[in-house]
Amino acid sequence: MLTVNAYAASSPTAPLEPVTITRRDVGPKDVLIDIAYSGICHSDIHTVREDWGKIHHPLVVGHEIVGTVSEVGTEVTKHKVGDRVGVGCMVNSCRECENCLAGEEQYCLGGNVGTYGSVDRDGTVTQGGYATHVVVDEDFVLSVPESLDYAAVAPLLCAGITTYSPLKHWGAGPGKKVAVIGLGGLGHMAVKLAHAMGAEVTVISRSNSKKDDAARLGADHYVATEEAGALRAHRNEFDLIINTVSAPLDLDTYLRLLRLDGTMVNVGAPPEPLSLRVFTLFGNRRSFAGSSIGGIRETQEMLDFCAEHGIVPDTELIDVAQVNEAWDRVLASDVRYRFVIDASTI
Ligand code: NAP
Ligand code: ZN
Ligand code: ZN
């Protein structure tokens, strides 16, 4: 076993601190990755703060990992030492259920093995990417195109795929009007990706403070919800709405923005149950849906799409010593638009 440096909190309210954890020996199908950069997702904070339920502390979080392969198992064929690779939100699944066979391992009927906080096949609890190294089955390791800025690419592994997948599934493209609610980590990727797919993109943010950024990221229009009547002016307009907000919203207000057969997809994951009036769905035959990350094949497709279109997240690179401050800034929506930890400082 390999003992490695990591960062974790000892309780839901404690700051993150240095810890050491062990990684399993490299098995025949495993790769050992020297982590270079690790993104900070709002889900990391929800998890450690126990917004979604109790967890076993300390837990090392982080599921936007990029690094270099430094060792491979005897049966590994997909990756070799020196390759630039990534790991997202899953590190395994049953591989046998109909969803796994369809390449949608995120919806594994037995539950996928999350990159952190899941019981792995060997019975241990998985520990995530705020660490120097990780050992992962080669089938859940992505190839990261070398043309993408190494220090900025990590957030594609969660924020990128979580927005790419519903945009693709619900047909974002030329002639389609897509709205993105919340301009944070996921939201800014949704804007870049929907724009690259050829859709007409509207950002719905609370204030006008991100208006210039939205245009730079590729948005065609901008709505600040704090302005009276701002949303009402966009009723019956959008084919697809991607809601990335981490807190509860009044769904009916936003569903009314959908045109005939439009869909609002929730990727934001507030802990509270949400309610809506079914009559809002009756109007325009609207749909309300959810979407969880994306499968391995689609994640690779997304990375290749980003390489083709020259898309990387807008990031702020930090030393691990700044991680607690960064978490506070995520909670205050003061991130432009994803923090990435330089793993050499861990
Ligand atoms: P983030 O960077 O904090 O962005 C969330 C954005 O939501 C903020 O920038 C803010 O945008 C808006 N917002 C925050 N609080 C709000 C409030 N009270 N009312 C209205 N708007 C508010 O977070 P993230 O990393 O993008 O993650 C967003 C959510 O997606 C989290 O709940 C996360 O757990 C979830 N998630 C889900 C999946 C999945 O597979 N479905 C994957 C990853 C993350 P403005 O300042 O522009 O208003
Ligand atoms: Zn995430
Ligand atoms: Zn499965």
Side-chain angles (χ1 to χ4, degrees), residues 42-43 46 158 183 185-186 205-206 210 244 267 269 291 293 338:
H42 203 125
S43 300
H46 284 307
C158 175
L183 198 59
L186 267 55
S205 184
R206 285 167 295 179
K210 300 175 182 175
T244 74
V267 290
S291 184
I293 50 173
R338 202 55 144 183

